[in-house]
Amino acid sequence: MGMKSSAIAVTPLFGIRNKQMRIFATACLMGILAVRHAAAIGDLDNGVWVGYQGWHLAKGDGSRLNQWKHWFEKNVPDAEHLHGDQWPGGWDEYGSNKLHATQMHYPDGRPVSVYSSYDFETVDLHVKWMKEYGIQGAYLQRQQNLIEKPQEKEWRDTVARNMQKACEKHGVKFAIMLANNAKTPEENSGFSQRIINDWKHLVDELQITASPSYARQEGRPVVAMWGFGNADRPITPAEAQTVVDFLTKGPDKYRAYVVGGVAREFLAKSPNSAPLGDWLAVYETLDMITPWRGVQHVNTGAAAAKRMVDTLVAEKAWCDKRGIEYMPVVFPGGSARGTKDTQLNNYPRRAGQYLWEQVNVVFRDVFNEREVKYLYVAMFDEIDEGSAVYKTAARTTDLPRPGEMVHNNFDTIGIPPRLHNLPEDWYLRLCAEIQSIMENKKSITSDIPINP
């Protein structure tokens, strides 16, 4: 069991960078444990954490880009150019003065307006929902390909400030997730220094880690790096290690608790044609590992499910042995047409049953009852790929492009009647149930324990 799963993790353990020393310290502590952990050692403990994109913009929102970013292709705000396979809900809560008119209409003739994450009011509402439904914190995504372009960087900085202000207002935690989204060596050029420079910018100029709402674990600010070991990312183990070393061994003001977003089945393959051992050496220097959507094959047959569970258990054991925490990633379902694929609803949500089956695996097979637990729900507002858990359209009549987008009641074949007529906030309600289980207020159940 990893050090951070202990019941009385105390200040003397903060800052121990040597994994073997941390394991030894854990063994000493575990020898005197009699009850489940009595005090949390950080903001990631026993909480639902979501990924937050915050990447939608609208013309006229005041940003220097002045684009329909992530809403429409070719910057044309009509149904033909609409981007994404899922549609938001809860529109009456946004406030009409902070919505931006498009050229679209709903089936009943109502005009369609959309939000912009550049507006504080949008992020404020999203964080308010997080608080209302018990979500502990959010990883704000910060993509590598945007951080040197002045207009793009200004947009992402504004969203970061919006996130900080909203989280401080509502009592929600947040952390930065630096996302490696380069697909070619050219896009990846100078990766390590670019990421380091951006973290310095966040700490020095935005002073993001000084916020009382910025997540801390083991006494250090949390920063996540997504994209380690993925086959479609050109980042090398050496480049990744340079970033991790800076964050863990560099000047004190920049040091952080480092969460590594790694490839699914990270122990079983050699990503990017690099020797697996080179990547494992990087992973061993992380504080926490979160494999991307490792539970997604939960319903693909008994043999595949067993292999998946065996893989998750082995990964958790590998992390425990090294004093590294393990954060599984679950998601409500997904759709790929918004990312240039042709398949709509390729990971059917099945009225929340798909998400609930993944949660069952995590809480029954991966973690034991007495452990501190970690969970990443991907994502909060990712409507591009149809994996959002915030308020989304519940029926066809609320879609600007009916028949070509998913909604909460999209796939009802074989769904128990009690799970028909789902509301817009259904997946937020499931997040609230998951949070209650993580806090030991409720026990995990095989079936979804609530009704619409």
Side-chain angles (χ1 to χ4, degrees), residues 414-435:
I415 303 301
R418 76 178 185 90
L419 296 179
H420 291 190
N421 300 315
L422 301 179
E424 291 182 328
D425 68 344
W426 179 243
Y427 291 91
L428 287 173
R429 291 175 61 186
L430 292 184
C431 286
E433 290 298 306
I434 296 168
Q435 181 63 45

Side-chain angles (χ1 to χ4, degrees), residues 253-285:
K253 66 184 300 187
Y254 303 119
R255 290 192 185 185
Y257 179 97
V258 183
V259 179
V262 306
R264 183 169 52 252
E265 300 182 347
F266 69 93
L267 295 179
K269 61 183 179 181
S270 178
N272 303 333
S273 299
L276 181 58
D278 290 354
W279 274 111
L280 292 184
V282 177
Y283 300 156
E284 287 180 337
T285 62

Side-chain angles (χ1 to χ4, degrees), residues 224-253:
M225 256 303 314
W226 187 89
F228 286 177
N230 287 276
D232 62 346
R233 299 293 191 272
I235 180 177
T236 67
E239 290 173 319
Q241 191 66 70
T242 297
V243 175
V244 175
D245 285 349
F246 175 80
L247 294 171
T248 58
K249 302 175 183 177
D252 287 345
K253 66 184 300 187

Side-chain angles (χ1 to χ4, degrees), residues 22-187:
R22 290 160 70 179
I23 296 168
F24 175 75
T26 299
C28 294
L29 285 171
M30 293 301 288
I32 59 173
L33 296 181
V35 294
R36 192 176 182 273
H37 81 293
I41 59 172
D43 297 318
L44 303 180
D45 294 357
N46 296 319
V48 171
W49 276 72
V50 294
Y52 187 69
Q53 298 285 17
W55 61 12
H56 286 90
L57 294 179
K59 270 200 167 185
D61 61 8
S63 69
R64 292 167 61 188
L65 284 168
N66 197 31
Q67 297 175 4
W68 296 102
K69 200 80 170 177
H70 281 272
W71 286 120
F72 301 99
E73 303 288 352
K74 299 182 179 179
N75 216 26
V76 180
D78 61 20
E80 180 182 352
H81 295 88
L82 185 60
H83 175 79
D85 291 348
Q86 196 177 12
W87 190 246
W91 288 113
D92 57 336
E93 298 181 59
Y94 283 88
S96 59
N97 63 326
K98 280 299 180 181
L99 291 178
H100 305 269
T102 73
Q103 298 172 17
M104 300 189 300
H105 292 81
Y106 290 109
D108 62 3
R110 287 175 294 144
V112 173
S113 296
V114 297
Y115 67 73
S116 169
S117 300
Y118 195 82
D119 297 324
F120 168 73
E121 290 81 358
T122 293
V123 180
D124 182 61
L125 178 60
H126 292 168
V127 174
K128 177 175 177 283
W129 288 345
M130 293 178 196
K131 180 65 174 181
E132 289 175 348
Y133 292 90
I135 293 171
Q136 190 156 301
Y139 285 113
L140 176 61
Q141 311 296 294
R142 194 171 173 92
Q143 289 78 16
Q144 168 190 348
N145 65 337
L146 305 178
I147 56 181
E148 288 99 6
K149 302 174 184 177
Q151 293 182 338
E152 305 268 4
K153 186 173 184 177
E154 186 266 345
W155 155 41
R156 298 314 296 167
D157 282 357
T158 297
V159 174
R161 292 188 181 99
N162 289 344
M163 192 73 178
Q164 175 179 336
K165 182 179 176 182
C167 286
E168 290 174 359
K169 175 181 175 181
H170 296 290
V172 173
K173 296 295 182 178
F174 77 104
I176 296 293
M177 179 172 279
L178 304 167
N180 175 3
N181 56 355
K183 295 294 184 70
T184 67
E186 291 74 22
E187 292 176 345

